[in-house]
Amino acid sequence: MARNTRAKKRPEAPQMDIGEIFASMRDLEKTKGIPMDYMTERLKQALANAYRKDREDHRDVPAENVVVDLSEQGLSMHLVKTVVEEVEDTALEIHLDAARNLNPDARVGDTISIPVDIPKFGRIAAQTAKQVVIQGIREAERGVVYDNYSNKAQELLTGTVTKLDPSGDVFVRIGQGTEASDAVLRTSEQIPGESYREGEQLKVYVLEVHKMGRGPIVHVSRTHPNMVRRLFELETPEIAEGQVEIRNIAREAGSRSKMAVRATMEGLDPVGACVGPRGDRVNAVVKELHGEKIDIVVWSEDPCEYVKAALSPADVISVTAIPGQKACRVIVPDDQLSLAIGKEGQNARLAARLTGCKIDIKPASQSGEEQM
């Protein structure tokens, strides 16, 4: 039996459906916020690169010599050549006689655009163009994510733990849908003693966003003092409405925080507003921070009154400013000394950080003053 020696017909290279492409780009602009102009330029670049790669003569044609016109009306491509009397480089030059067949007015030194037969693009070139477009979409998506989260810096977000890294870092998925992104909670930004599990939801404070090769990286924290601020803003309507102002926060995450507040309207108790009915508001914050103690005090323009309040819960007999220094001397009852200083000096340390004042605490028995 005779063998069939006819060559199999090679499959045709995939044809581009311009209408379908522009419909897809409109969908990308609507659903992912990727501008059509951006994607059109990326597609033109992809087609030009595909042509340069798939030329039959395998010549490396400069990108500026390939012109792509792309619109919803259609696609055309031209190769720009220079008109010469003697051709030395067929990829970039055209003889004067041949040029005048295309343009009767052509002269030596002119440039002329020669239409490219687009259907002759090979399958590899089409795949290359597709990959470049996909990469452009990914880059644009990363840019959208970066813009979204760079605008969310210093905000409080809720995320889901997705991975516990052996280094101790925790990866958290924040946002929803097309705005979702991975955030990293470094070991140094974790509350001491906290443990995490995959699938757990937790609130995090957005520190900053970095552009990386594989996409933006969002750095978050649970130790930043402003996390306490944002939690109270969520729980206290008076803060959200501007009736109570948080002036400063000093925090040792996982242990204790001190927060100074003041009322912006007469007759309002700023501490009571933050504590809430039956302590509901402050308890909600404490619960989110897994038991971290929070002292809420009234801010004062008077440095001595401010320091006195900041040393809460200790009772204070007197506070005296030290002339020429941002420091003060504090006298407390003997039985309040350890409470004023706090365990390992924490209460005094946080009070000093809150007020910005160096605090020297003495018991009444050593000051020559009588307890009141």
Side-chain angles (χ1 to χ4, degrees):
M1 184 175 178
R3 181 180 297 176
N4 186 355
T5 57
R6 287 188 304 170
K8 292 182 179 181
K9 185 178 180 180
R10 294 181 63 184
E12 293 182 1
Q15 299 297 308
M16 294 180 60
D17 187 330
I18 300 299
E20 182 179 339
I21 287 174
F22 273 86
S24 298
M25 290 195 295
R26 276 194 297 270
D27 185 58
L28 284 171
E29 185 172 48
K30 183 177 179 181
T31 60
K32 299 189 180 228
I34 304 172
M36 278 191 64
D37 290 345
Y38 172 85
M39 284 308 306
T40 300
E41 287 304 313
R42 290 306 300 255
L43 182 54
K44 288 166 64 176
Q45 179 184 351
L47 291 169
N49 288 340
Y51 169 75
R52 294 169 63 207
K53 180 177 181 179
D54 202 48
R55 282 175 56 84
E56 293 180 358
D57 60 5
H58 303 293
R59 293 293 304 274
D60 185 13
V61 178
E64 58 267 23
N65 284 68
V66 181
V67 179
V68 179
D69 293 316
L70 177 64
S71 69
E72 294 194 61
Q73 283 68 48
L75 166 69
S76 63
M77 185 179 297
H78 298 82
L79 179 61
V80 177
K81 291 187 177 184
T82 302
V83 179
V84 295
E85 289 185 346
E86 293 185 13
V87 176
E88 296 180 359
D89 187 341
T90 57
L92 300 177
E93 297 174 341
I94 184 173
H95 192 276
L96 178 61
D97 294 339
R100 284 180 173 170
N101 289 330
L102 298 171
N103 179 5
D105 296 326
R107 297 179 180 180
V108 173
D110 290 348
T111 56
I112 192 165
S113 295
I114 303 171
V116 172
D117 189 358
I118 294 175
K120 285 188 176 180
F121 272 7
R123 186 172 298 274
I124 293 177
Q127 291 174 347
T128 301
K130 179 180 177 181
Q131 288 301 317
V132 174
V133 172
I134 290 173
Q135 182 64 25
I137 292 172
R138 288 175 180 166
E139 290 176 4
E141 287 178 335
R142 291 167 187 165
V144 170
V145 171
Y146 176 80
D147 291 341
N148 284 338
Y149 285 97
S150 60
N151 292 332
K152 287 183 172 64
Q154 302 182 10
E155 288 189 15
L156 191 69
L157 299 177
T158 299
T160 303
V161 176
T162 57
K163 180 183 176 182
L164 305 178
D165 195 80
S167 67
D169 293 345
V170 175
F171 290 88
V172 182
R173 191 69 171 170
I174 55 177
Q176 296 180 348
T178 58
E179 293 189 0
S181 180
D182 290 320
V184 59
L185 179 64
R186 300 289 189 197
T187 306
S188 59
E189 298 296 337
Q190 297 170 21
I191 296 176
E194 275 194 344
S195 58
Y196 309 96
R197 64 182 186 278
E198 290 185 8
E200 175 186 7
Q201 285 198 329
L202 73 162
K203 288 184 172 62
V204 292
Y205 177 77
V206 180
L207 291 174
E208 56 188 354
V209 185
H210 289 294
K211 280 188 175 179
M212 305 294 286
R214 298 183 63 182
I217 295 294
V218 184
H219 291 277
V220 296
S221 173
R222 280 183 56 82
T223 62
H224 198 283
N226 277 347
M227 181 167 183
V228 175
R229 181 188 300 271
R230 296 292 180 250
L231 288 170
F232 272 103
E233 288 174 351
L234 287 176
E235 297 293 335
T236 311
E238 290 86 348
I239 295 176
E241 294 169 4
Q243 298 171 0
V244 173
E245 179 184 8
I246 299 175
R247 296 290 298 186
N248 199 15
I249 297 173
R251 185 182 185 200
E252 293 187 358
S255 180
R256 196 180 204 101
S257 289
K258 286 184 180 287
M259 183 172 75
V261 296
R262 77 176 186 96
T264 61
M265 60 181 295
E266 191 174 348
L268 179 64
D269 175 12
V271 174
C274 295
V275 171
R278 300 176 300 279
D280 291 348
R281 294 171 181 174
V282 69
N283 288 339
V285 176
V286 169
K287 182 179 179 181
E288 175 61 37
L289 299 178
H290 297 170
E292 183 174 317
K293 295 180 177 63
I294 300 176
D295 299 329
I296 306 172
V297 304
V298 177
W299 176 85
S300 175
E301 292 182 354
D302 183 338
C304 294
E305 286 297 320
Y306 191 16
V307 168
K308 182 177 180 179
L311 286 169
S312 174
D315 294 328
V316 174
I317 296 174
S318 66
V319 179
T320 306
I322 299 175
Q325 302 180 41
K326 197 166 186 180
C328 60
R329 186 172 294 106
V330 177
I331 306 301
V332 299
D334 286 28
D335 62 356
Q336 294 285 298
L337 181 62
S338 61
L339 185 61
I341 295 173
K343 186 178 179 180
E344 298 178 349
Q346 184 185 66
N347 195 58
R349 184 168 60 249
L350 286 173
R353 198 181 304 164
L354 185 73
T355 61
C357 181
K358 184 178 180 181
I359 302 174
D360 179 23
I361 304 175
K362 298 291 184 183
S365 61
Q366 294 182 17
S367 69
E369 297 186 37
E370 295 182 359
Q371 296 185 27
M372 298 178 65

